Amino acid sequence: MFEKTLLSQKVIVVTGGGTGLGKSMATRFGELGAKLVLTSRKEENLRTAAREIEAKTGAQVLVVPCDVRNYDDVEKMIQGTVERFGSVDCLVNNAAGNFLAATEDLSPRGFDAVVKIVLNGTFHATVAAGKQMIAQKTGGNILSIVTTYAWTGSAFVIPSAVAKAGVLALMRSLAVEWAEYKIRCNAIAPGPFPTEGAWAALMPGTGAEEQARARIPARRFGEHHELANLASYLLADGSAYVTGACYTIDGGEWLANGGSFNQLAVHDRTAVKQLLAAMKPKRS
Ligand code: HXC
Ligand code: NAP
C-alpha cells in the first residue's frame, strides 16, 4: 500500500506499544522505516514486542517502561527518547484501560482507574512530547486512538466514554493551538478490533462476540493491518494538510447502531449485573 520509506527516519513513540493495536501499529511503522519507542507499564511485554519487531522489520526499537498516569515518568521517557534518537517526531497515544460496569455500581476509584490512564495519561504524553517538538522547531505529529463512542457515548463504559471524548477535544483544540509550531493533532476512532486486552475487558459471557459482529454492516471485525495503515498515512508527510481530524474505521458500526455497549441496556438488568460482576477481578 505504501512505499517502504514512507516513515523513514521518523522517531515514533507509541504508548501501550507492547500489546494489541499499539504493537501492530509499531510493527507497521517499523516496516516503513521508522525508529520506534515502545512504552507502557509492563517491561516484559515491551521487550518481547521489541524483539519481534526488530526481527521482523529491522527497525531500531527503544523500550522505556513508563506509567502514563505519572507526568514525571512521561517526561523521563521523552528525555530517554531524545538521548537515544535525537528527537521526537511523532507520538501515538494508544495506552488505555477499560471495563464494563453499571454506573451506579462504579466507585470513584474505578472511575479514576480508567480516566487517569486515558485522559490524564494522554494529556501527559501530549504535553511532554509537544514541548520537545516545539523546542526542536521541526514540527511534529500527534495521533490519539479514541473510539466511536467518544461522540455517541455508550452505556456501561462511562469512564472510557468521557475520557475518550476528552481526548478527542484535546486533539481538536491543539490542532489549532499548535499549528503555529507545525504540530499536527489527529485521532482515529476504531470499532471492534480483536485484541486480548479489549476482549477480556469488554466481551461478557457467551455469544457476546457474535452479537458484536452482527452489529457491524461489514459483518466482520477490523484487521490490525487496516488500522496500522491508516495510522501510517496520518503520520506520513503526505498527509501534511490533515489536522484536527478524526478518522472512523469501524465497518460502518456506529452509523448503524451507535454506543457500542447500549445493547446491554435492553437485557434484564439483574442478569447483566451478574455477568459484569463475574468479569470484575477478585481482590485477595
Ligand atoms: C468494576 C472495577 C473493575 C470492573 C477494576 N475496578 N475493574 N470496577 N468493574 N471490571 C475498580 C476496582 O474495584 C477499584 O475500585 C478500581 O477500579 C481500581 O482497580 P485496580 O484493579 O487497582 O486498577 P488498576 O490496577 O489501576 O487497573 C486499571 C484497569 C485495568 C483499567 C482496571 O483493567 C487495566 O490496567 N487495563 C489496561 C488494559 C485494558 O483495559 N485494555 C482494554 C482497552 S480496550 P475500588 O473502589 O474497588 O478500590 C478499549 C476499547 C474501547 O479501550 C472501545 C471498544 C469498542
Ligand atoms: P490493549 O492491548 O489492552 O492495550 C492497552 C495498552 O495500554 C497496553 O499495552 C497497556 O500496557 C497500556 N497501558 C495501560 N495502562 C497504562 C498506563 N497506566 N501507562 C502506560 N501504558 C498503559 O488493548 P487494545 O485493544 O490494543 O487497545 C489499544 C487502543 O485502542 C486503546 O486506546 C483502546 O481504547 C483503543 N481501541 C481499541 C478497540 C478494540 O476493539 N481493540 C476499539 C476502539 C478503540 P501495560 O499494561 O504494560 O501498561
Side-chain angles (χ1 to χ4, degrees):
M1 186 165 176
F2 299 121
E3 287 183 13
K4 287 242 154 50
T5 54
L6 188 81
L7 301 175
S8 189
Q9 301 309 313
K10 283 193 190 299
V11 178
I12 303 179
V13 175
V14 184
T15 71
T19 65
L21 297 178
K23 180 177 166 187
S24 296
M25 285 188 282
T27 305
R28 185 67 174 129
F29 303 153
E31 283 172 354
L32 296 169
K35 297 174 182 169
L36 300 167
V37 181
L38 306 184
T39 182
S40 77
R41 294 165 302 177
K42 297 183 189 119
E43 185 166 1
E44 199 179 316
N45 285 350
L46 297 173
R47 296 221 171 275
T48 307
R51 272 196 301 275
E52 285 176 26
I53 294 172
E54 280 162 353
K56 187 169 176 199
T57 72
Q60 295 178 56
V61 187
L62 174 68
V63 159
V64 188
C66 159
D67 187 329
V68 291
R69 292 172 297 186
N70 180 333
Y71 184 73
D72 291 342
D73 260 26
V74 175
E75 273 219 321
K76 280 187 201 132
M77 180 273 291
I78 294 294
Q79 277 165 15
T81 301
V82 175
E83 278 160 28
R84 168 75 186 271
F85 291 133
S87 66
V88 177
D89 302 312
C90 307
L91 165 70
V92 180
N93 287 309
N94 166 80
N98 204 354
F99 54 74
L100 290 163
T103 304
E104 66 273 23
D105 298 337
L106 188 62
S107 71
R109 271 171 48 83
F111 182 81
D112 276 357
V114 172
V115 173
K116 287 197 169 158
I117 301 171
V118 177
L119 183 55
N120 297 46
T122 299
F123 173 76
H124 292 158
T126 298
V127 168
K131 281 182 177 178
Q132 173 59 30
M133 290 168 180
I134 292 168
Q136 283 168 201
K137 299 192 191 322
T138 49
N141 198 327
I142 300 175
L143 174 63
S144 293
I145 308 302
V146 296
T147 182
T148 55
Y149 60 61
W151 58 88
T152 63
S154 174
F156 298 102
V157 282
I158 268 59
S160 174
V162 301
K164 293 288 193 186
V167 170
L168 185 52
L170 179 69
M171 291 300 102
R172 287 174 168 163
S173 306
L174 286 177
V176 176
E177 191 177 329
W178 285 357
E180 167 79 9
Y181 307 116
K182 296 195 169 25
I183 298 172
R184 294 199 280 144
C185 297
N186 291 295
I188 293 178
F193 280 70
T195 66
E196 273 182 38
W199 259 224
L202 302 173
M203 291 289 175
T206 48
E209 192 173 315
E210 272 321 301
Q211 280 173 20
R213 192 184 284 107
R215 289 166 38 84
I216 304 169
R219 292 287 175 263
R220 67 173 177 86
F221 295 125
E223 293 181 15
H224 286 210
H225 70 91
E226 295 170 320
L227 177 77
N229 280 334
L230 177 56
S232 300
Y233 161 75
L234 286 170
L235 296 188
D237 294 337
S239 63
Y241 204 50
V242 180
T243 192
C246 179
Y247 281 59
T248 300
I249 178 165
D250 74 342
E253 187 206 27
W254 90 266
L255 287 169
N257 310 274
S260 303
F261 301 97
N262 284 347
Q263 83 281 1
L264 287 173
V266 302
H267 297 301
D268 173 71
R269 190 57 54 96
T270 308
V272 167
K273 283 193 177 199
Q274 278 168 357
L275 263 180
L276 303 189
M279 293 177 78
K280 184 175 178 178
K282 302 282 173 285
R283 280 262 167 82
S284 50

